[in-house]
């Protein structure tokens, strides 16, 4: 069972906007920034969003992140077929000398 | 362009120690600008952070694995390594190495990953 809670699945049609939620606690999301990763089938994860809402170079602005309190969200607008992937949220957790915690992942299906 | 490459045995017997190495190319592990982490993913499951090391040798470990994990760095070889002792079938996973900047608010943002290496624990 993951420390951060994500819905196991999400779906949308091409062009649609979808959001994926990530719920945590005061020791992780509530006091630290959130990062999002995209994992295409058979590949290593890729950093999609860092520091809650920052996009690394090369990541389309269709992807955006936000955080409020102990929850965060990833939004994908103008959904494309190549967005079909697993998405993970992650954050630093201040408990037990500090460590990184991940969400369980959300499988996004483009219908 | 910095690249990370995991290497090590793909098969480990139960109760033995899993040992993996991550070789950093295209940049120096001694730059002091990054943390170096190990992350694993069992087949069909989510990501689990194992731990990280800084070039000074200071480490942080996942509390659930701390008693069995050792991460070390060899700056002369531009490598860092993972040792996981007393392995069981539950340790079967793809193991990734990754780096994260030491910049505040980005210290857990893994911007470069290795391709991953599959390790199976079986007799």
């Amino acid at each position: 069972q993951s420390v951060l809670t994500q819905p196991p699945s999400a779906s949308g049609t091409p062009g649609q906007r979808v959001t994926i939620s990530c719920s945590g606690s005061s020791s992780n999301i509530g006091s630290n920034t959130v990062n999002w990763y995209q994992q295409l089938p058979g590949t290593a994860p890729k950093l999609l969003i860092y520091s809650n809402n920052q996009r690394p170079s090369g990541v389309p602005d269709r992807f955006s992140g936000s955080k409020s309190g102990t929850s965060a969200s990833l939004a994908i607008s103008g959904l494309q077929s190549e967005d079909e992937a697993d998405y993970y949220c992650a954050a630093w957790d201040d408990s037990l000398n500090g460590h990184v915690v991940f969400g369980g992942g959300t499988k996004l299906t483009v219908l | 362009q910095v690249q990370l490459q995991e290497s090590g045995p793909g098969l480990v017997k139960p109760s033995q120690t899993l040992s993996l190495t991550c070789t950093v190319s295209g940049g120096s592990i001694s730059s002091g600008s990054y943390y170096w982490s190990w992350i694993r993913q069992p087949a069909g499951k989510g990501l689990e952070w194992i731990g990280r090391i800084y070039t000074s040798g200071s480490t942080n470990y996942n509390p659930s694995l701390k008693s069995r994990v050792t991460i070390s760095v060899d700056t002369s070889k531009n490598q860092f390594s993972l040792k996981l002792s007393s392995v069981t079938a539950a340790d079967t996973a793809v193991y990734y190495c990754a780096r994260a900047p030491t910049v505040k608010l980005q210290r857990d943002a893994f911007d470069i990953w290795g391709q991953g290496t599959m390790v199976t624990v079986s007799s």
Side-chain angles (χ1 to χ4, degrees):
Chain A
Q1 188 165 342
S2 302
V3 174
L4 304 182
T5 301
Q6 298 180 236
S9 63
S11 63
T13 57
Q16 204 172 25
R17 181 177 188 271
V18 298
T19 61
I20 297 172
S21 63
C22 176
S23 178
S25 68
S26 58
S27 64
N28 41 66
I29 294 178
S31 50
N32 295 291
T33 58
V34 178
N35 307 303
W36 290 90
Y37 300 89
Q38 176 193 59
Q39 187 176 32
L40 298 171
T43 68
K46 167 190 169 184
L47 181 64
L48 200 63
I49 297 287
Y50 67 94
S51 297
N52 302 330
N53 54 19
Q54 302 299 302
R55 286 185 306 277
S57 174
V59 173
D61 59 6
R62 302 187 295 106
F63 295 91
S64 62
S66 63
K67 186 186 104 166
S68 178
T70 58
S71 294
S73 291
L74 172 71
I76 308 172
S77 60
L79 197 62
Q80 299 180 3
S81 58
E82 55 261 40
D83 298 333
E84 187 161 293
D86 293 324
Y87 292 84
Y88 294 91
C89 60
W92 185 261
D93 192 302
D94 292 328
S95 66
L96 299 171
N97 292 321
H99 56 287
V100 177
V101 292
F102 284 95
T106 299
K107 181 170 181 54
L108 174 64
T109 301
V110 180
L111 302 170
Chain B
Q1 180 173 342
V2 175
Q3 293 183 313
L4 307 182
Q5 178 67 58
E6 306 89 350
S7 60
L11 181 64
V12 181
K13 289 182 167 49
S15 79
Q16 293 191 343
T17 296
L18 178 160
S19 296
L20 295 174
T21 296
C22 182
T23 300
V24 180
S25 60
S28 174
I29 202 171
S30 303
S31 70
S33 300
Y34 299 98
Y35 293 103
W36 306 94
S37 281
W38 287 98
I39 297 159
R40 69 180 183 179
Q41 184 174 36
K45 296 188 178 181
L47 301 166
E48 180 179 35
W49 183 75
I50 300 170
R52 73 179 186 185
I53 191 165
Y54 185 59
T55 49
S56 65
S58 66
T59 54
N60 295 94
Y61 296 133
N62 187 324
S64 67
L65 298 169
K66 185 176 182 178
S67 64
R68 299 194 292 131
V69 173
T70 302
I71 297 176
S72 59
V73 63
D74 187 337
T75 55
S76 67
K77 295 182 179 179
N78 227 30
Q79 297 175 334
F80 63 106
S81 299
L82 168 69
K83 290 189 185 301
L84 181 64
S85 64
S86 304
V87 297
T88 69
D91 295 309
T92 294
V94 174
Y95 285 75
Y96 295 100
C97 56
R99 79 169 196 184
T102 56
V103 176
K104 190 178 180 182
L105 300 184
Q106 295 181 37
R107 290 171 293 179
D108 53 328
F110 305 112
D111 61 350
I112 295 181
W113 296 64
Q115 65 184 26
T117 187
M118 179 68 201
V119 178
T120 301
V121 178
S122 174
S123 56

